[in-house]
Amino acid sequence: MSPATAQAPWIQELTSFVGKRGGPVLAWDPVNAPMVRQWCEVFDFDFAPFVDAAAAAASVHGGLVAPATMLPVWLMPGLRNARPPGSDTTDPRAIMKVLEREGYVGILGTDTEQTYERPLRPGERLSCIHSVDAVSDEKLTRMGPGFFVTFLQEFFDEAQQAVGTVRLRILRFKPQAAPAAEPKRAPPPQPAINQDTAFFWEGLQAGQLLIQRCAACGTLRHPPGPACTQCHSLEWDTVPSTGRGKLFSFVVMHHPKHPGFDYPLPVGLVELDEGVRLVAPLTGLDSAHWRTGMRVEAVIQPVAGEHRLPLFRPSASA
Ligand code: ZN
């Protein structure tokens, strides 16, 4: 720690952990062949001196040995995070609580370094002494400002002879707020606008959901087209929709994915109260909770580049 950062009282509290040793912590089980065999299975690693007693006896080891990298396994507390009777109960991670309290709530394991004095044999029961080996100055990392904390475990056999060490370095950091700029993404497909459909897109730009209406017989139609399907008149005008209706049908799209959309993507066939149906994205509800017949209402949002689309969200109105 540099003198400058050591001024804050809580930094002094932090550095006071360095070098303080706790222990001994005892092992639940001795080094044992079943755990070695399972470890070798997990890593698909068959080395005769670990798993084959006869071959091990004939090897330079003269008998079964445990993989060196299993060293910390023999002192793991287990799922209940408890220690065998007789163990020191000092919390080896107490320094973490200080960092959490000060807002360094993010955690990232960075690296581990192990040393081995000799091979371990089934039947040996280890113990360990734990300590905080080092705390860095505050560093500005890509994750945010944080401290690197190095934990040290020193392992001993029953004769109190050192058999190895494990150093684990962890970064505790203050998570940074997401950057203000939206990440770049592919734009969604742009609408095909022609003289029959331009009114619809222009209406959306103005915040209105317009429906085409036959000027001769008054029949509403959507999607827009040049002629009335009822009376074949080519004359038409538009009426603004209330944007309210019900979900006539819907799908939740998972695949294929277009890079311009988020998935799963619920898309509805909405029956507007005016009587026409239109296809539109659904919003405001988890994909699993949409149901046909639900009341929905339009929200007009820019979603396709400069264009606006009506999205439909659940509505409280009957
Ligand atoms: Zn008509």
Side-chain angles (χ1 to χ4, degrees):
M1 303 300 280
S2 71
T5 53
Q7 299 308 311
W10 82 267
I11 296 280
Q12 289 174 19
E13 185 184 359
L14 198 65
T15 53
S16 73
F17 285 95
V18 177
K20 241 183 239 169
R21 300 170 92 217
V25 172
L26 309 181
W28 279 110
D29 298 297
V31 175
N32 64 85
M35 279 173 74
V36 169
R37 184 184 56 74
Q38 290 175 63
W39 186 94
C40 289
E41 273 184 29
V42 167
F43 292 102
D44 195 21
F45 185 67
D46 295 311
F47 181 58
F50 297 159
V51 290
D52 183 333
S59 75
V60 293
H61 299 292
L64 285 172
V65 291
T69 51
M70 282 187 78
L71 180 60
V73 169
W74 309 118
L75 264 297
M76 283 183 175
L79 286 176
R80 292 175 178 154
N81 198 29
R83 292 298 184 180
S87 295
D88 176 75
T89 54
T90 314
D91 179 5
R93 301 294 171 98
I95 189 173
M96 294 301 213
K97 293 191 172 73
V98 176
L99 286 163
E100 278 171 29
R101 187 193 71 205
E102 298 298 327
Y104 298 84
V105 294
I107 185 164
L108 195 66
T110 58
D111 61 88
T112 177
E113 182 189 311
Q114 307 192 359
T115 63
Y116 319 113
E117 298 297 328
R118 63 169 179 83
L120 297 174
R121 298 187 182 277
E124 293 195 83
R125 196 178 280 268
L126 305 186
S127 62
C128 95
I129 299 291
H130 53 76
S131 58
V132 175
D133 196 39
V135 181
S136 74
D137 289 332
E138 186 172 33
K139 306 283 187 191
L140 188 58
T141 74
R142 284 175 61 193
M143 310 298 292
F147 293 83
F148 290 93
V149 180
T150 308
F151 293 98
L152 171 64
Q153 280 178 293
E154 298 164 82
F155 298 84
F156 299 89
D157 61 17
E158 283 146 304
Q160 304 310 313
Q161 295 297 304
V163 296
T165 62
V166 172
R167 279 181 175 80
L168 173 66
R169 204 148 65 114
I170 279 170
L171 169 66
R172 293 297 312 232
F173 58 94
K174 279 186 179 167
Q176 297 301 284
E182 285 284 308
K184 278 192 176 170
R185 63 184 298 174
Q190 301 297 294
I193 301 177
N194 58 36
Q195 62 181 20
D196 291 323
T197 64
F199 79 90
F200 181 77
W201 299 104
E202 288 163 7
L204 290 172
Q205 287 303 109
Q208 282 192 315
L209 179 58
L210 297 179
I211 306 171
Q212 200 175 25
R213 177 173 60 185
C214 173
C217 74
T219 301
L220 300 179
R221 62 180 187 260
H222 188 90
C228 174
T229 54
Q230 299 299 311
C231 74
H232 310 298
S233 168
L234 298 176
E235 301 299 317
W236 56 269
D237 60 7
T238 62
V239 289
S241 166
T242 59
R244 285 195 278 273
K246 70 178 183 191
L247 191 56
F248 185 80
S249 181
F250 70 98
V251 294
V252 178
M253 303 202 38
H254 294 270
H255 191 81
K257 285 182 174 154
H258 185 287
F261 295 105
D262 295 319
Y263 293 82
L265 173 64
V267 177
L269 178 62
V270 172
E271 186 166 278
L272 292 170
D273 289 345
E274 291 84 0
V276 298
R277 293 174 189 161
L278 80 168
V279 175
L282 302 176
T283 188
L285 194 62
D286 187 87
S287 291
H289 296 141
W290 290 100
R291 297 288 181 266
T292 56
M294 284 175 73
R295 292 293 301 171
V296 290
E297 62 187 14
V299 278
I300 294 169
Q301 286 184 355
V303 288
E306 67 198 48
H307 297 287
R308 290 174 169 218
L309 272 187
L311 282 69
F312 284 85
R313 66 185 178 197
S315 161
S317 70

